[in-house]
């Protein structure tokens, strides 16, 4: 069992930056691939990016590639989402998720086993 808690959301102007954190409980955090998703009002949950257990070669949605960076610190049981050059269309609730397959880079919501409660990110124009 893994519990995930996101933090770091807030209100930022267009072009600004935020860093989201996702703290995980449990001693097996390092065995999970981790993903970030977001959900805007009235829309389905959408893939943002994912990273394997080792932190190598993250994979991103085209909409955030070059602006967002995922990293993880297994010693701290934490995964991060650095978001730069934010745009109003990035406004959403952001969720982190854990996949029990450590080498799995997947964009599918249904492949993830555990989810956090989400943190709101609002980008003003």
């Amino acid at each position: 069992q893994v519990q995930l808690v996101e933090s770091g959301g807030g209100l930022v102007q267009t072009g600004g930056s935020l860093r989201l954190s996702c703290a995980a409980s449990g001693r097996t955090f390092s065995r999970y691939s981790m993903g970030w998703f977001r959900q805007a009002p009235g829309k389905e949950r959408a893939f943002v990016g994912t990273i394997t257990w080792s932190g190598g070669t993250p994979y991103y949605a085209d909409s955030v590639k070059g602006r967002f960076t995922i990293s993880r610190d297994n010693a701290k049981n934490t995964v991060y989402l650095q978001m730069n050059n934010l745009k109003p269309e990035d406004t959403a609730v952001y969720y982190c998720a854990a996949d029990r397959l450590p080498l799995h880079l997947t964009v599918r919501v249904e492949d993830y086993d555990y989810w956090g409660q989400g943190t709101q990110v609002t980008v003003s124009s």
Side-chain angles (χ1 to χ4, degrees):
Q1 187 79 12
V2 174
Q3 292 185 325
L4 305 173
V5 179
E6 302 95 337
S7 62
L11 174 65
V12 64
Q13 292 185 334
T14 296
S17 298
L18 283 174
R19 188 176 83 155
L20 305 184
S21 298
C22 172
S25 65
R27 292 173 291 179
T28 59
F29 171 75
S30 63
R31 301 179 189 174
Y32 292 80
S33 295
M34 299 296 295
W36 284 98
F37 289 77
R38 63 188 181 185
Q39 189 165 18
K43 295 188 177 182
E44 294 186 350
R45 195 164 297 189
F47 170 76
V48 172
T50 182
I51 190 168
T52 62
W53 74 275
S54 65
T57 317
Y59 179 75
Y60 301 98
D62 288 343
S63 59
V64 306
K65 202 172 295 182
R67 300 188 298 123
F68 290 12
T69 302
I70 297 176
S71 61
R72 66 189 294 165
D73 185 338
N74 288 338
K76 295 182 178 180
N77 280 12
T78 302
V79 63
Y80 304 98
L81 180 66
Q82 177 67 44
M83 305 186 295
N84 297 329
N85 190 21
L86 283 160
K87 305 175 181 180
E89 51 264 43
D90 295 317
T91 295
V93 177
Y94 282 71
Y95 298 89
C96 68
D99 177 355
R100 283 178 287 190
L101 299 178
L103 297 177
H104 203 198
L105 290 176
T106 179
V107 307
R108 304 195 319 165
V109 169
E110 57 267 35
D111 286 340
Y112 289 84
D113 302 290
Y114 304 102
W115 291 84
Q117 292 302 306
T119 185
Q120 176 70 47
V121 171
T122 303
V123 184
S124 63
S125 56

